[in-house]
Amino acid sequence: MSILFSQRKQASGSRKVGLVQRVFMFFVSHVRQAVGSLGELWRQPTASLMTVAVLGLSITLPGTLYIMVKNIEKMTTGWDQAAEISLFLKDTTSAVAAQQLVARLSAWPEIDSVVFIPADDALTEFKSLSGLGDALAYLPDNPLPDVVLVSPSVEASAPAPARELLNKLTSQREVDVGKLDVEWLERLYAVVNIARDLVMLIGALLFVSVVLIIGNTIRLNILSKRDEILVMKLVGATDAFIHRPFLYTGFWYGFLGGMLAWVAIILILWWMDNSIQQFANLYEKQFHITGLTSTALFVLLGLSILLGVIGSAISVQRHVREIEPS
Amino acid sequence: MISFEEVSKTYPGGQQALVKVNFHIAPGEMAFLTGHSGAGKSTLLKLISIMERPSVGKVLINGHDLNTITRRQIAYIRRDIGMIFQSHQLLMDKTAFDNVALPLVIEGYTHKEINKRVMAALEMVGLHDKAKYFPMMLSGGEQQRIGIARAVVNKPPILLADEPTGNLDPKLSMEIIKLFEEFNRAGVSVLIATHDLGLIARMRYRTLTLRRGRMITDGLTESEGDML
């Protein structure tokens, strides 16, 4: 397109070259510049590798932490359902009344199952487990109350609904005290939440620094190509045309950095799997760490590429503008 | 083709490079722009290629006021203007072919078309056998001709040259000017800034003269007399 000379035949617009050809040339030009940028990186392997390593490792850290948090969450979802409410019944409650309570509770939608442990059974169990055995025989009567064990349904077993359920249960006439053993669970959740926030924070900080590092690397690239940019501007290159190779450089940094992060995360997980197994064995549990899913891998790569492109875009916007022929 | 209307250019710092310059160059005309160093020749050329903007007044090309051209449009303006510099402004790490091809690559020509046009341009400046050479392997005159090939490869209607013969001996200078005459015969408007008065004296072209930023003659009276 010529602004000054409307008649002028020019460029791909002329020579009976159609729209299809022009669009095709646009892509050819993009591919040319993308490959050119990759070649540029290849010609300076040390500098490129260092930038890629910085980017890759910066993404590895939040990536690994993210996987840790995910695995802890996965591990704790199993424990979630184990939440159990113990109801200690009043001494005055008769066996019939207790049975009625059990029958009543079984009908509640929030409750999965109800187990009634009469005081005598509890004492027998306590005798055998505690080892106090004969000593207990000297007690004038059974000090233990009747107990009802309530397992909440899946929906009601998260900390908040379980607490609500507990309140409802303790308001029952026959119930003396109710005990919900979720405090430790809540604490664990709180810790996991803090960990997740920390991962986000560390991630955000590292991402910002990656953008700055890429931006600075691209700035140096731009400065070293000052003469070329000047000449390109003199012969009518648009800013977009001049920007493109640098944006592709950022893209490649991001792509290669993302791949490096992927490999690094796999290595770290493989290395840690052993010690985690040992840890799990102590709890007599089989636990295998879940690595990156393919979705997470794509997110990781995409994020890495995005950071590379953002870093170079910021740099290119600022610094190519400063280079003007004079 | 190129018109200046009351154009003044004052650089930051108060230096007056051009003062109320008026002239018009017709389509297909070839003219010299002369004056001592610092008379404002380069500034005048920069106003045409929008490397500088006028402080006051209007520069028009083909009737279009360059003051209305936005930053983003400058690139497209430069595609209509072939520019030749004393310092060649060649890319030293690229071959003669790649240097000449640059404007075509930027405009998105096909590979085939680029090949054809670059070879034609190199042929025109007599360097078709040196397409694969790097600028460092070429003489000063040859480098200048590569620069000229690059300026004309996309067939711009306007050609600007800033001291194109600055570093060359008279014989080579004449060859370069002959090249410009050839392009001019093909209909290109050519404006050559030079302080080589001997060179101009041997030619019979319109000569615009600047002195301390003022145009003391736009060469019309003499050249009209000559032509008649």
Side-chain angles (χ1 to χ4, degrees):
Chain A
M1 120 180 146
S2 174
I3 295 167
L4 300 175
F5 303 92
S6 49
Q7 309 297 311
R8 194 180 163 214
K9 288 181 172 178
Q10 211 186 14
S12 34
S14 68
R15 317 262 149 226
K16 287 167 256 149
V17 175
L19 184 68
V20 177
Q21 174 93 61
R22 236 180 300 171
V23 170
F24 175 71
M25 278 316 290
F26 176 78
F27 284 109
V28 167
S29 155
H30 265 271
V31 170
R32 218 188 262 169
Q33 285 178 318
V35 172
S37 298
L38 192 60
E40 239 2 83
L41 295 186
W42 189 253
R43 276 190 285 281
Q44 302 170 339
T46 326
S48 305
L49 267 181
M50 266 154 69
T51 310
V52 167
V54 166
L55 204 152
L57 298 183
S58 300
I59 292 173
T60 303
L61 181 56
T64 312
L65 291 177
Y66 167 81
I67 287 175
M68 294 291 157
V69 170
K70 271 279 160 226
N71 276 290
I72 290 172
E73 278 174 355
K74 188 183 110 186
M75 210 150 54
T76 51
T77 43
W79 303 345
D80 211 11
Q81 267 118 51
E84 206 174 43
I85 299 172
S86 313
L87 299 175
F88 302 99
L89 304 185
K90 290 179 180 144
D91 294 344
T92 51
T93 314
S94 66
V96 181
Q99 284 304 332
Q100 275 170 356
L101 176 69
V102 170
R104 211 162 63 231
L105 293 183
S106 308
W108 288 18
E110 306 98 308
I111 291 172
D112 204 25
S113 63
V114 184
V115 178
F116 176 67
I117 303 170
D120 297 337
D121 289 5
L123 186 64
T124 321
E125 192 184 348
F126 184 60
K127 264 183 190 159
S128 65
L129 280 177
S130 66
L132 292 173
D134 298 340
L136 292 173
Y138 290 102
L139 290 172
D141 47 33
N142 186 354
L144 299 175
D146 293 334
V147 176
V148 177
L149 290 180
V150 176
S151 299
S153 65
V154 179
E155 298 86 57
S157 56
R163 195 163 287 281
E164 240 171 71
L165 179 61
L166 174 69
N167 285 335
K168 236 168 114 184
L169 289 170
T170 43
S171 64
Q172 298 300 313
R173 183 158 44 77
E174 300 88 344
V175 176
D176 185 18
V177 184
K179 204 166 163 336
L180 170 66
D181 207 10
V182 289
E183 259 122 36
W184 70 274
L185 206 58
E186 282 180 327
R187 282 183 202 134
L188 180 72
Y189 279 153
V191 170
V192 172
N193 267 337
I194 290 174
R196 198 190 299 122
D197 284 355
L198 268 179
V199 170
M200 302 262 266
L201 199 66
I202 291 171
L205 287 176
L206 283 170
F207 292 165
V208 170
S209 64
V210 162
V211 166
L212 294 177
I213 288 164
I214 297 283
N216 197 44
T217 310
I218 298 289
R219 182 182 69 90
L220 293 177
N221 280 1
I222 292 171
L223 290 182
S224 74
K225 297 209 159 217
R226 206 191 135 77
D227 293 341
E228 194 172 336
I229 292 171
L230 275 181
V231 171
M232 292 214 288
K233 286 201 171 181
L234 283 176
V235 298
T238 55
D239 281 358
F241 183 87
I242 296 170
H243 289 175
R244 244 181 269 151
F246 297 109
L247 293 179
Y248 275 117
T249 305
F251 169 87
W252 288 120
Y253 278 144
F255 179 76
L256 296 174
M259 295 301 272
L260 179 70
W262 180 41
V263 173
I265 288 174
I266 287 175
L267 285 178
I268 288 173
L269 293 186
W270 170 77
W271 185 67
M272 286 196 67
D273 196 39
N274 242 333
S275 49
I276 287 174
Q277 289 251 21
Q278 278 176 11
F279 176 77
N281 280 343
L282 290 180
Y283 287 82
E284 295 178 347
K285 273 197 166 189
Q286 270 299 317
F287 183 76
H288 274 287
I289 199 157
T290 315
L292 280 178
T293 59
S294 55
T295 322
L297 175 63
F298 278 116
V299 169
L300 178 106
L301 260 184
L303 190 70
S304 175
I305 289 170
L306 190 72
L307 293 177
V309 172
I310 289 175
S312 68
I314 291 172
S315 190
V316 145
Q317 290 291 347
R318 277 183 54 80
H319 299 290
V320 170
R321 187 177 280 255
E322 282 167 12
I323 299 174
E324 276 296 334
S326 62
Chain B
M1 183 59 96
I2 303 170
S3 293
F4 274 54
E5 293 177 4
E6 295 289 310
V7 174
S8 296
K9 174 68 186 175
T10 309
Y11 282 109
Q15 186 210 343
Q16 285 218 306
L18 290 177
V19 184
K20 291 191 174 169
V21 171
N22 285 290
F23 70 90
H24 177 77
I25 289 173
E29 193 175 1
M30 174 151 159
F32 284 96
L33 175 67
T34 183
H36 296 290
S37 311
K41 299 190 297 287
S42 295
T43 303
L44 195 151
L45 292 186
K46 283 176 189 172
L47 290 177
I48 300 172
S49 56
I50 327 189
M51 284 150 79
E52 298 285 353
R53 299 274 196 176
S55 310
V56 185
K58 278 202 267 186
V59 179
L60 299 109
I61 298 180
N62 201 24
H64 293 267
D65 185 353
L66 293 190
N67 287 338
T68 64
I69 300 296
T70 63
R71 213 190 93 79
R72 299 175 66 86
Q73 291 175 318
I74 292 175
Y76 298 102
I77 301 299
R78 292 196 181 136
R79 294 178 186 182
D80 291 329
I81 304 171
M83 281 187 280
I84 293 144
F85 310 90
Q86 182 176 2
S87 54
H88 323 315
Q89 301 279 15
L90 297 178
L91 297 173
M92 289 301 162
D93 57 347
K94 299 238 156 66
T95 61
F97 184 97
D98 289 344
N99 267 289
V100 175
L102 188 60
L104 302 180
V105 173
I106 286 168
E107 285 188 46
Y109 281 82
T110 60
H111 200 72
K112 212 173 104 195
E113 189 80 357
I114 288 175
N115 214 33
K116 203 176 90 194
R117 288 198 173 212
V118 170
M119 288 322 284
L122 286 172
E123 179 89 50
M124 237 187 291
V125 299
L127 290 172
H128 57 282
D129 52 339
K130 303 209 165 156
K132 295 271 170 276
Y133 284 46
F134 287 91
M136 291 307 284
M137 299 149 80
L138 300 171
S139 72
E142 286 171 332
Q143 287 182 18
Q144 189 57 280
R145 292 204 304 238
I146 297 294
I148 293 170
R150 185 184 63 194
V152 300
V153 73
N154 62 345
K155 304 201 170 113
I158 298 172
L159 206 54
L160 301 179
D162 192 1
E163 303 284 0
T165 60
N167 296 324
L168 306 177
D169 62 38
K171 187 171 160 288
L172 281 173
S173 300
M174 208 56 208
E175 277 175 23
I176 299 284
I177 297 298
K178 286 264 186 312
L179 266 176
F180 287 137
E181 283 187 308
E182 230 172 275
F183 298 130
N184 180 233
R185 272 199 293 277
V188 179
S189 310
V190 183
L191 180 60
I192 303 164
T194 179
H195 59 252
D196 188 349
L197 293 170
L199 183 76
I200 297 168
R202 275 176 274 152
M203 317 288 295
R204 307 170 99 212
Y205 285 105
R206 178 181 170 189
T207 305
L208 305 101
T209 310
L210 283 169
R211 185 185 293 162
R212 286 196 218 103
R214 288 172 198 277
M215 186 151 286
I216 53 171
T217 163
D218 68 356
L220 274 184
T221 31
E222 300 115 39
S223 60
E224 268 172 13
D226 284 347
M227 278 172 194
L228 290 169

